[in-house]
Amino acid sequence: MDRFGGKIEELMRQIESLGFWPGYVQWVLMPQGSVYPYFGMIEALADNPEIKAQGLFLEGWQTFHDYNLWRHDHNYGFISFPGELPGFLCLWLKNGEVKAFRQDPGYKTRPLNDREEALFHKLVRESFGLVMRIENDPKLCHKYLEEGSLFGRRQVNVRKWEDVPVPLVQPRPHVERVSLPKADVDAAKDKPLLKERVVDVAFRCNPHYTTTEAHSRMAYDLDVRDAADGKSLVSIRMSVRPPQCTIADMWQNLAPGLLREFVKLGFVPGEIRVCSQRVFRLLRPLTMQLPFKLSLHDELPGFEEYV
């Protein structure tokens, strides 16, 4: 044990020793010196073959809202899975190991640096105490809901934290901006419309592939295949390049990017099939310019889900 009350791994094992996982219960942690509030939750992953439980500590109000909206609807906004949200992740593995990571949008999770470790230590230590309290009082985190506030713990000094109501901050309105360059639209209209030609289109995060730099970026794949024979027509792998290109930018550039690819292919198909409501939604602006059918399917042959 160190002077801060134990190392991160020890604190995580103490949480595990309680034999209690709070589930989908969220609390706010406001550590001294941080400009962000952190939204904590720890829940068991019953169906995961390797992970017993995970803890998420999401950074900032908009991240909190993005997570909860994603949890309600996996096709909302631009988030494909929680690993695309900024914050910290800790895992309790079924082989007995415990691990902690930093996660940033579009990047592979990585080990904590010294500054992050000091901050995350505070978050885990406070959460250990909260898990014990929640076990005894399951409604603890609902304490301030009637006044429109979340349950929070605010750090007063090095050793003292206090319970506080945290007034709910409303999320920013979600906006999707898809712009189709007129020159590309005109070029596509000059290509033949092959009414009987059907293509399958998928765009998704592929965390199995990452860049080789120290802070690795995850791959995002755009695939277009001929529905008749499965032949690949377009295969483009990309990644974030903040601030010039974010996850939101990649999704909002999906329709204009696909438009350029059809110009290169030399034809416009009679039908585009997709298996993602988000892909469907963000490709719809193309249907205002080109007379093809856009159809949504539960699954498409050859397109596995990466995330």
Side-chain angles (χ1 to χ4, degrees), residues 197-208:
R197 193 79 181 267
V198 181
V199 300
D200 295 338
V201 175
F203 180 70
R204 62 265 204 239
C205 177
N206 181 358
H208 298 301

Side-chain angles (χ1 to χ4, degrees), residues 151-163:
F151 177 86
R153 291 282 289 169
R154 179 173 61 201
Q155 186 177 20
V156 179
N157 55 47
V158 173
R159 293 195 173 275
K160 183 179 179 182
W161 291 64
E162 61 183 5
D163 290 356

Side-chain angles (χ1 to χ4, degrees), residues 106-108 209-211 213 215-219 239-242:
Y107 288 82
K108 181 182 177 181
Y209 289 88
T210 60
T211 60
E213 61 211 300
H215 195 182
S216 300
R217 289 169 287 146
M218 293 185 292
S239 61
V240 297
R241 299 184 306 280

